[in-house]
Amino acid sequence: MRKKVTLKQLARELNLSISTVSKSLKNDPEISEKTINRVHELASFYNYKPNALAVSLKSNKTKTIGIILPEILNHFFAKALYGIEQEASNNGYKIVTCITNESYKKEVEYVEMLNYSSVDGFIVALSQETQVLNKFDHYQALKRENVPVVMFDRVSEEIDCDKVIVDDKEASKNAIEYLINTGCKKIAVITTISDLSVAKLRLEGVKEAIDINAEVTLIELPLRDSQNVEAEIEKFLNNNDLDAVLGLDETAAAISINMSHKLGYKIPEDISVIGFTDGLLSKHSYPKLTTVSQHAEELGAKAAQILLNQLDDFEEKHISKTEVVKTSLIVRDSTN
Amino acid sequence: MRKKVTLKQLARELNLSISTVSKSLKNDPEISEKTINRVHELASFYNYKPNALAVSLKSNKTKTIGIILPEILNHFFAKALYGIEQEASNNGYKIVTCITNESYKKEVEYVEMLNYSSVDGFIVALSQETQVLNKFDHYQALKRENVPVVMFDRVSEEIDCDKVIVDDKEASKNAIEYLINTGCKKIAVITTISDLSVAKLRLEGVKEAIDINAEVTLIELPLRDSQNVEAEIEKFLNNNDLDAVLGLDETAAAISINMSHKLGYKIPEDISVIGFTDGLLSKHSYPKLTTVSQHAEELGAKAAQILLNQLDDFEEKHISKTEVVKTSLIVRDSTN
DNA sequence: ATGAAAGCGCTAACAA
DNA sequence: TTGTTAGCGCTTTCAT
C-alpha cells in the first residue's frame, strides 16, 4: 500500500520543518519565495493533499453536512437531495446521506452517529414515525450543543430551528379551486399519507376551498399494502360518480388515472385528476398529470443555502426562520 | 456552545488519567471493576461518545464509504443507493454520496476529494462522460494506493477492480425472445442511452435473439431534449407498423406506451411493450409494463457487501472478481 | 491497577 | 525567514 504523502515526508525530503512546509503551501508571506516554490514543486510532484481528517480534528470543522431523509425512492426526496448536493458541492461541502426508512429509531441513531464530529450541521426531513410519536429529544440535544439544523418539508413546530416548507395549504386550496372553476362539483381527495404533517396542511387547504356549489368528499387510504390501494381506489371511483380527484401524493394520483382507464372513464372528460409532487409519474402518465409542483430541487437547495450561511457566519444567538416556498399548479392534460 | 465531552474532561472529573478512562470504556481487564463502573457511570451521565474524527485519524479508518453515482433522479440508481445504504448502515458504516450528473470532471473531483482520508473505500457507477472519454486515471490512482473500489452497473473493462453487473445481454435477449414467442414479428428497439456500456450489451443481446421469422428494427434517440423524444417516438410508431417495442430504458418504454395510446393503438393487442428497470414508471403505467428487473437494490447491496468484506479482511494481493446479477423478466400487462 | 508519553497529520502561537 | 512546541481527541505501549 503506497502510503499517502504527509507534511512530514515533504519536510524531510526538503530539509525543512513541518511548519515551514505547511506555511509554504498556504503561500504565507513570511516564507521566502524560493522556499515556497520548492515546496509547491515537491508537493505537486507527489500530488500532496492535506489529510482531511487531521484538518477537521484541528479546525473542528468537517466541511460535511448530514442529510436525514425518510425515503429515497420517493421522487420528491430524491429531487430535494439533488438540490442539496448541488448546493453543497458548489460550496466545497460533502454530504453524508442517511435514510431512515420512516423509522424513528433509525433517525435517532443516525443523528447521534453523525453528531460525533462527522458533520458540521444537519438537513432533515422527519420520518413518519417521528412525526407520529412526536419525540424530538435527538434534535433538542443538537440544539443544546448549538449544532445548526435546517428542516425541510417534514417539519415540526416543536423544534426550534430553521425550516423550509412548501405552502401545502395554499397549494391544495388552489388545486381544489381550479377543479371547481373548471366545473367539477363532486370532488374526492385521496390520500395515502394522512399521518404526515404535510397531509394535514393539504387537507386544511382543501377545506378552505370548499365552495357551496361543490361537494367534496374525503377518502383516506392506507399505503401499507399497495395491492390494496389500487383495488380500494378502483372500488371508490366505481361507487362514486365523481367529477374530479385530488391525489395528495403522486402515487394516489397516478393510480387514480390508471383505475379510471380501467373503469373506462375518459380523462379529463369524465373525471379530472390533480396530483402532488411533480415527479416522473406525473410527466409520464397518460394523459399527463396536472400537478402541484413543490419545486423539490429548489427546496433542497434553499435548505442547503440556509445551513451553509449559518455555518459560515456563526452567530451565538440565532433566530430561527421559516421560509415558505411557493408551489405552482402545473396544468397538463388530466384536467379541463 | 456546550462543548462536547471528551476523555480529558471525564478524566479530570474522576481524578483519573486519560488512558485509564479510555481503557475503562473498553472494559479493559487490567482496570479494576470499581473504576470501570465509575467511568461508565459518568460517561453515560454526560452521554459521552468518542470523537469520530480523532478515532479515525488514529486508526486510519473512517467507517465511511464513498458512493459515486451518475444520477439520483433515475430510479435505478436511487434503488441501488437504497440497497447500499441498508447494507452499509447494518454494518456500522456511513455513506457519503456524490452525484456526478454524468460529468467526468465532477467525477474526478469527487474521487480525489473523498480519497483524502474521508472514506475507506468506494462504490462507483461511472458517469456517461467518463465512459465516452474512456479516461480512468482517477481510479488508477486509487488502485496504486490500494484503496478498495467496487464498481456496479456502469463499469469499464479497463479498470481492475471488483465489479457487480447485470446480465444485460442475456436480459434483452430474453426480452426479445419473449416477444417473438408471443407472436411479435416486427419489433423495434428504442434507446435513449446508446453511449452507455449497458446499452451496448443490451444491443448485443438483441442481436443474438434475432430470429429468422422476426424483423427487428433499431432506432436510437437522443435523450437531450425530452420534448423531442416523445415526438420522435410518436412519429416512429406511426410510420412503422410494429408488433412490439423494447425500450432499453424505462423512460423509452413509458413514452412508447403513452404514444401508443395517443395513436389509438391498444396495448398489448396492437402493440406489445417491454421496458428495462423495474421502477415506478413500470408499476404505474397503464397497462402495467412488462419489464426487465435489474434488481437494483440487490445490486447495490451486493456491491456494498463485497466492499465491506474487502475492508474487513484486507489482503495485500486482491484478485478482482466480477459478479453478475441475474435479471428477470417481470411479465405484466403490456405484453401478450 | 493506574499513569505517562508518543503519535496519528495538521495548524498556529511563539521563539530564534 | 525558519523552526519549536503545544494541542485537537484518541489509542496504545511501556513504565510505575
Side-chain angles (χ1 to χ4, degrees), chain A residues 58-225:
Chain A
K58 184 78 202 177
S59 67
N60 214 10
K61 288 194 179 348
T62 61
K63 286 282 184 179
T64 304
I65 60 190
I67 319 293
I68 310 283
L69 252 33
E71 252 190 274
I72 187 63
L73 299 182
N74 180 320
H75 209 71
F76 171 75
F77 289 114
K79 273 167 97 169
L81 179 62
Y82 180 73
I84 294 170
E85 208 277 345
Q86 293 284 304
E87 196 65 28
S89 82
N90 284 341
N91 289 279
Y93 276 78
K94 305 184 275 292
I95 63 174
V96 359
T97 312
C98 301
I99 300 158
T100 63
N101 232 335
E102 306 285 11
S103 145
Y104 167 76
K105 187 159 156 283
K106 279 208 116 190
E107 189 178 304
V108 174
E109 276 175 18
Y110 278 134
V111 169
E112 290 187 346
M113 171 173 87
L114 292 190
N115 190 220
Y116 283 87
S117 301
S118 303
V119 302
D120 295 341
F122 286 86
I123 294 180
V124 177
L126 293 170
S127 82
Q128 178 158 3
E129 200 187 351
T130 306
Q131 290 204 321
V132 172
L133 296 177
N134 227 258
K135 285 178 20 186
F136 308 111
D137 293 359
H138 44 316
Y139 297 111
Q140 312 300 2
L142 296 182
K143 184 80 206 158
R144 253 179 275 123
E145 294 182 20
N146 253 304
V147 178
V149 175
V150 176
M151 299 208 167
F152 77 98
D153 193 61
R154 306 260 203 98
V155 304
S156 166
E157 287 181 3
E158 303 195 18
I159 306 170
D160 170 34
C161 67
D162 284 335
K163 289 162 196 162
V164 187
I165 54 172
V166 135
D167 61 340
D168 281 288
K169 197 164 135 186
E170 192 70 14
S172 54
K173 190 176 161 201
N174 289 341
I176 294 284
E177 281 171 352
Y178 183 89
L179 290 171
I180 293 176
N181 288 340
T182 54
C184 301
K185 295 221 152 47
K186 195 165 176 199
I187 303 169
V189 176
I190 302 188
T191 163
T192 62
I193 53 167
S194 36
D195 285 337
L196 299 180
S197 55
V198 292
K200 286 166 193 151
L201 289 171
R202 289 174 197 169
L203 244 25
E204 283 181 33
V206 169
K207 281 172 198 142
E208 281 192 12
I210 294 179
D211 186 276
I212 192 142
N213 299 311
E215 173 193 339
V216 177
T217 324
L218 173 68
I219 177 173
E220 300 190 19
L221 295 171
L223 188 63
R224 315 297 166 206
D225 181 28

Side-chain angles (χ1 to χ4, degrees), chain B residues 266-286:
Chain B
K266 294 240 171 308
I267 301 170
E269 293 81 356
D270 299 336
I271 187 167
S272 294
V273 180
I274 295 186
F276 260 81
T277 304
D278 184 30
L280 246 32
L281 287 179
S282 309
K283 282 182 197 97
H284 294 295
S285 64
Y286 188 82

Side-chain angles (χ1 to χ4, degrees), chain B residues 17 19-20 23 30 32 35 58:
Chain B
S17 74
S19 54
T20 305
K23 284 172 192 163
E30 70 182 15
S32 77
T35 306
K58 185 77 200 173

